[in-house]
Amino acid sequence: MHVPDGFFNAVTSISAGVVAAAGVAVCLRGARRELDDRTAPMAGLVAAFIFAVQMLNFPVAAGTSGHLLGGALAAILVGPYTGVLCMAVVLLVQGVFFADGGLTALGINITLMGVVTVLVGWGVFKLVTGLAKGQVVVAAFLAALVSVPVSALAFTLLFWIGGTAPIEVGTVAAAMGGVHLLIGIGEGLITAATVGAVLAVRPDLVYAARGLAKPLVLRGAEGAGATVGEPEPAPEARGALRPFLLGGVGVTLVLAGLVSFFASSSPDGLEAVAEEKGFIDQAADHLFGSWTLADYGEVGGIPVGVAGVIGVGLVLVVAGAVAYAARGRGQAKV
Amino acid sequence: MNSLEVRQLAYAYPDGTQALYGVDLSIARGERVALLGPNGAGKTTLVMHLNGILTAGHGSVTVAGTPVRKDTLAEIRQRVGLVFQDPDDQLFMPTVRDDVAFGPANAGLRGEDLDRVVKGALERVGMLDAADRPPHHLSFGQRRRVAVATVLAMEPEILVLDEPSSNLDPAARRELAEILRSLDVTVLMVTHDLPYALELCERALILSDGVIAADAPTRTLLSDAELLARHRLELPYGFAIPVM
Amino acid sequence: MGAGHRHQLYLPGGSVVHRLPPQCKLLAVLAFALVVVATPRERFWCFGAYAALLGGVALAARVPVGHMARRMVIEVPFVLFALLIPVIGLGERITVMGLSLSVPGLWAAWNILAKATLGVAASVLLASTTEPREVLIGAQRLRLPSLLVQIAMFMLRYLDVIMDEMRRMRVARESRGFEARNFRQIPVVARSAGSLFIRSYERGERVHLAMLSRGYSGRMPMINDISASVGQWGMALALPAAALAVLGLSL
């Protein structure tokens, strides 16, 4: 599950470390806004929850089980900033106290499993709830479903750039995307069901679905009643989240663009996934669940990817347009 | 001046459930008072208002003449020592010493002064030997005593204990009673352990359905079987109020 | 998620390594891992020298071989993956004992195996000789943001509590004949996860309340601090310095 030392070259490891540090720094400020002085205990307990829940195995398909990555779940339950922080701390603790995940690969692990899953999960979630109001559970499913393969593809991309083994990026991306789409279904189902379960009992705890308060009633010992005071209005979705949402949408689109590009560059993508069936079975490993072997694809020649850059540029333009439109709409509302 | 004054306090949780419907009570300095009530009566909710953790939806709370408001919170929290029901909630630091030091350190104590306060508080609950151990290595009874010490280190005006006898074995229960009796502070003890209330408190209140339903000497209250039954309170099997 | 997560790695002891300030050890391990990762994979003997250096540290710290070996199980999935690369790899191939293997794949496998093993061993040594709480103090000394350190502190403090709750829920599920076998059982697992979240979150709120009750105003009071002498820094950084020297010699 966790990338060890030696998977990526030093330059990539350090660059990812810088990205992760910057992401965590942004989230430290953001989490303060989400949770105020509750940040340390709340994020600490949620991190412990994520750690524990990653040990819950769930069946994915015949004979296969996976466990939650938890990025999308964390984003939906406690908000994106706190979500990234919790994932980062879980990975930090796993790396330093349990020797799980290399210290030099910490940046890569936090970027892939913390920042990307949370960002993508949150982006998709906001997108879906924006299009279909109140569909929190459906949005949670889609958010988690998308976050897993995107994280896997980000890994592939990163490995292509700075991995220590040469890979055929198109084939590997198709295989990784396919396998993780399956795992993503499991992640999606359990995330949606978990969010649904929390929503049923403590709707106020679901970050993305706050509100609903009744006026107070005063009652004497005999039961005579009177209504007083209006409760404080539920806080609106905060404006500070907009950059996060836009970032999430942007990253999703960029990565989606990459997927389609790589998939088309490798027409036998589906066959490749089928050949990876061996991988899928081995992903059933109860301790290591969704990642392990399934993640790291295969080794091959060095790919040529000029068209990839054009694709990314195109997607960025689209993402920018969407972001601009969303911004305009947001301002109109204010 | 009363240690604690509560007037017409009402509160509803964010999920819409209303827990308090206008609570009135006052406790004089030096009194030990039991707050009795069945599960779900709103006892813990009331306790959360006493040091401003929850803010009153309606009504007021006054501690030693100071109203609980946003601008008085720091002072209020110094004066009201809350011992939580689950000591695991209260002991969040890596060692017992760090935990007891947390409150006084927030108040600005450092170095030898801090050490002295920590030592004093641990001595009063008989846990000085455990100072360097992590809380989760202690027994439940020991953890509850350390929880009391963390609050004593703040030298509060009023000690509020939420179900202090829950989950304790008989010996730990007796030891805690001895500690509480030895302290010279106002005590509000929230419990449904009626014998414990009788043992430690002269006066008792019954909180039922979010209002104070009775306020009398503990002995009188516990002798009124019909009143107790009406509020889902029961003396343990075979227990009789001892004759003075 | 390895079996190792269930147990803390820390081995109490009073060796030189145990007594070093945590910030020195943390930086030393990080620097060592960086040197290892930066070493070209063709320099076989360098990796041998690194392993010998770690062996020396383990000896000085009196960490038994068995302890190290058990804790390194965490690496197994990557060993399996590394062994698979040459088989499925493309590129130039050679035949070894009737098995056709990819040459770049073999190099990649060796690279990952050697570096990951050394990295895991160094981390296990750190975690075996340093109490978690000390590691956090060290991390704070190394200018890790204090909010992050606090979050990690709370996480470690409550990890056992949360895991216990999860275990109790599992026992409750299984004692009523539940077993996670297929899709249909996902709602059950999810309800467990949901109630675990609610319990964790509510405990977080209660912990926060307990902190507020004792005058917390958003900043943790610094009660403990461990400062390191130049000598201690020197001793700790001897490890990465030696590794760097080895690397330098090989170039």
Side-chain angles (χ1 to χ4, degrees):
Chain A
M1 169 156 186
H2 301 70
V3 177
D5 293 312
F7 245 75
F8 290 87
N9 61 36
V11 178
T12 312
S13 302
I14 292 171
S15 316
V18 172
V19 170
V24 168
V26 169
C27 292
L28 279 171
R29 295 170 57 101
R32 281 266 186 209
R33 274 203 296 277
E34 280 171 4
L35 287 172
D36 199 18
D37 64 343
R38 295 187 302 158
T39 305
M42 296 313 297
L45 262 297
V46 174
F49 160 75
I50 300 273
F51 189 105
V53 99
Q54 285 187 346
M55 292 189 169
L56 274 181
N57 292 298
F58 58 86
V60 174
T64 308
S65 84
H67 70 72
L68 225 53
L69 262 178
L73 182 63
I76 294 163
L77 289 179
V78 294
Y81 294 111
T82 314
V84 170
L85 276 194
C86 293
M87 295 300 287
V89 169
V90 167
L91 293 163
L92 193 77
V93 166
Q94 284 167 345
V96 176
F97 298 96
F98 300 98
D100 193 5
L103 285 184
T104 61
L106 201 55
I108 288 165
N109 283 324
I110 290 178
T111 305
L112 292 178
M113 285 187 276
V115 180
V116 170
T117 55
V118 170
L119 213 64
V120 170
W122 182 249
V124 172
F125 183 82
K126 288 310 265 186
L127 202 68
V128 176
T129 46
L131 292 174
K133 287 251 176 294
Q135 294 298 319
V136 176
V137 174
V138 177
F141 170 75
L142 291 172
L145 168 71
V146 175
S147 74
V148 175
V150 169
S151 172
L153 288 170
F155 170 89
T156 314
L157 196 68
L158 211 57
F159 198 74
W160 175 48
I161 297 168
T164 50
I167 56 167
E168 172 92 56
V169 73
T171 322
V172 174
M176 289 281 282
V179 169
H180 283 82
L181 204 62
L182 278 185
I183 294 165
I185 292 173
E187 173 110 6
L189 283 174
I190 198 148
T191 299
T194 303
V195 170
V198 177
L199 214 50
V201 188
R202 290 285 308 268
D204 57 307
L205 290 196
V206 179
Y207 181 84
R210 296 187 173 174
L212 309 167
K214 287 181 234 156
L216 295 176
V217 176
L218 272 189
R219 199 155 72 193
E222 289 78 36
T227 302
V228 288
E230 283 294 313
E232 285 178 44
E236 292 282 315
R238 285 162 233 197
L241 294 175
R242 203 169 300 136
F244 220 107
L245 159 63
L246 296 183
V249 172
V251 169
T252 312
L253 288 179
V254 169
L255 287 159
L258 285 176
V259 180
S260 57
F261 164 68
F262 287 130
S264 65
S265 81
S266 141
D268 58 348
L270 274 175
E271 277 176 42
V273 176
E275 282 169 17
E276 300 294 321
K277 189 73 175 73
F279 275 176
I280 301 173
D281 285 341
Q282 290 181 62
D285 181 329
H286 276 254
L287 289 177
F288 302 98
S290 61
W291 284 61
T292 61
L293 306 177
D295 294 341
Y296 303 113
E298 58 189 53
V299 180
I302 302 166
V304 193
V306 185
V309 182
I310 300 169
V312 172
L314 210 71
V315 171
L316 271 177
V317 170
V318 175
V322 170
Y324 182 78
R327 206 175 114 247
R329 217 181 48 194
Q331 279 168 344
K333 247 190 285 180
V334 174
Chain B
M1 195 196 307
N2 285 336
S3 278
L4 181 69
E5 286 275 349
V6 178
R7 288 281 156 262
Q8 281 294 299
L9 183 64
Y11 180 77
Y13 277 99
D15 65 355
T17 325
Q18 187 166 348
L20 300 177
Y21 293 85
V23 172
D24 283 297
L25 67 90
S26 61
I27 296 174
R29 179 161 289 168
E31 262 193 301
R32 276 206 298 266
V33 178
L35 180 66
L36 311 175
N39 289 334
K43 300 191 298 279
T44 304
T45 312
L46 175 57
V47 165
M48 294 298 178
H49 281 86
L50 302 186
N51 70 351
I53 283 169
L54 296 180
T55 18
H58 177 82
S60 69
V61 178
T62 313
V63 178
T66 310
V68 178
R69 281 198 316 253
K70 243 195 160 72
D71 55 319
T72 58
L73 276 188
E75 192 189 339
I76 291 293
R77 282 171 184 163
Q78 181 90 36
R79 290 188 179 183
V80 179
L82 219 70
V83 179
F84 286 66
Q85 188 169 355
D86 184 348
D88 270 330
D89 294 341
Q90 192 131 18
L91 307 178
F92 45 78
M93 297 290 279
T95 66
V96 167
R97 184 193 302 278
D98 290 355
D99 225 306
V100 178
F102 182 84
N106 277 327
L109 283 190
R110 289 290 184 278
E112 275 180 30
D113 291 342
L114 184 60
D115 281 348
R116 194 166 31 74
V117 169
V118 170
K119 243 181 104 178
L122 282 172
E123 242 161 14
R124 282 161 89 182
V125 299
M127 289 299 296
L128 192 55
D129 294 343
D132 288 310
R133 295 175 60 191
H136 53 272
H137 287 178
L138 303 175
S139 76
F140 195 87
Q142 289 175 320
R143 271 183 279 165
R144 177 149 295 149
R145 272 150 66 189
V146 173
V148 172
T150 62
V151 167
L152 288 180
M154 310 270 295
E155 284 160 22
E157 158 97 20
I158 176 169
L159 192 62
V160 180
L161 301 130
D162 195 356
E163 300 288 359
S165 61
S166 63
N167 290 323
L168 292 185
D169 61 34
R173 183 183 142 98
R174 178 181 46 73
E175 283 160 8
L176 185 66
E178 281 162 12
I179 290 165
L180 292 178
R181 248 198 303 269
S182 74
L183 302 175
D184 185 26
V185 287
T186 310
V187 171
L188 177 64
M189 193 172 103
V190 177
T191 187
H192 46 215
D193 181 344
L194 303 186
Y196 213 54
L198 183 65
E199 192 182 339
L200 285 165
C201 304
E202 315 77 65
R203 182 180 151 209
L205 312 167
I206 292 181
L207 181 69
S208 188
D209 283 333
V211 290
I212 297 289
D215 179 353
T218 314
R219 177 172 296 275
T220 318
L221 253 175
L222 297 195
S223 306
D224 189 343
E226 196 207 332
L227 175 75
L228 293 184
R230 207 160 52 230
H231 300 294
R232 290 188 55 80
L233 291 168
E234 275 177 30
L235 289 166
Y237 175 76
F239 185 87
I241 307 283
V243 181
M244 291 269 238
Chain C
M1 292 299 96
H5 283 189
R6 308 241 163 188
H7 316 279
Q8 297 277 330
L9 297 179
Y10 181 64
L11 265 186
S15 77
V16 192
V17 184
H18 281 85
R19 285 200 310 272
L20 277 178
Q23 61 267 38
C24 305
K25 284 189 269 189
L26 258 175
L27 201 64
V29 168
L30 191 62
F32 176 80
L34 266 176
V35 173
V36 169
V37 170
T39 306
R41 57 195 181 188
E42 293 81 12
R43 309 275 190 277
F44 288 110
W45 64 273
C46 284
F47 295 103
Y50 297 153
L53 283 173
L54 284 185
V57 175
L59 208 63
R62 302 200 189 88
V63 177
V65 179
H67 178 83
M68 289 290 287
R70 267 198 307 281
R71 300 315 181 193
M72 290 186 64
V73 167
I74 203 118
E75 206 203 358
V76 163
F78 293 99
V79 174
L80 292 179
F81 171 66
L83 293 180
L84 213 62
I85 296 175
V87 182
I88 61 171
L90 305 175
E92 186 192 340
R93 298 188 86 86
I94 53 165
T95 305
V96 182
M97 293 190 296
L99 207 62
S100 167
L101 300 174
S102 135
V103 175
L106 277 173
W107 276 114
W110 152 251
N111 182 57
I112 287 168
L113 264 186
K115 291 178 180 177
T117 307
L118 286 167
V120 171
S123 297
V124 169
L125 272 176
L126 170 71
S128 302
T129 59
T130 320
E131 262 187 278
R133 161 172 167 268
E134 283 197 352
V135 177
L136 290 180
I137 296 172
Q140 184 146 21
R141 271 250 146 190
L142 291 178
R143 299 274 179 277
L144 193 70
S146 81
L147 190 54
L148 218 53
V149 174
Q150 287 172 39
I151 296 172
M153 184 199 90
F154 282 106
M155 177 186 164
L156 283 176
R157 165 66 183 86
Y158 287 102
L159 199 52
D160 287 340
V161 177
I162 301 281
M163 298 290 269
D164 269 348
E165 281 177 5
M166 194 170 77
R167 212 163 295 140
R168 283 199 296 275
M169 275 158 39
R170 203 196 60 226
V171 169
R173 280 201 310 272
E174 286 175 3
S175 62
R176 280 176 280 165
F178 174 80
E179 205 182 328
R181 271 227 193 97
N182 61 39
F183 269 111
R184 280 192 300 280
Q185 268 111 24
I186 278 187
V188 181
V189 177
R191 264 197 297 281
S192 301
S195 70
L196 192 67
F197 170 75
I198 292 170
R199 288 186 202 194
S200 307
Y201 197 91
E202 286 178 344
R203 186 180 292 281
E205 287 178 326
R206 293 198 302 271
V207 170
H208 175 246
L209 300 183
M211 295 170 73
L212 286 183
S213 306
R214 285 191 273 149
Y216 176 74
S217 55
R219 285 189 62 82
M220 233 35 190
M222 265 295 265
I223 301 167
N224 299 291
D225 210 357
I226 303 172
S227 58
S229 69
V230 178
Q232 286 168 320
W233 274 113
M235 193 188 292
L237 293 181
L239 174 72
L244 198 62
V246 170
L247 178 60
L249 277 177
S250 78
L251 293 174

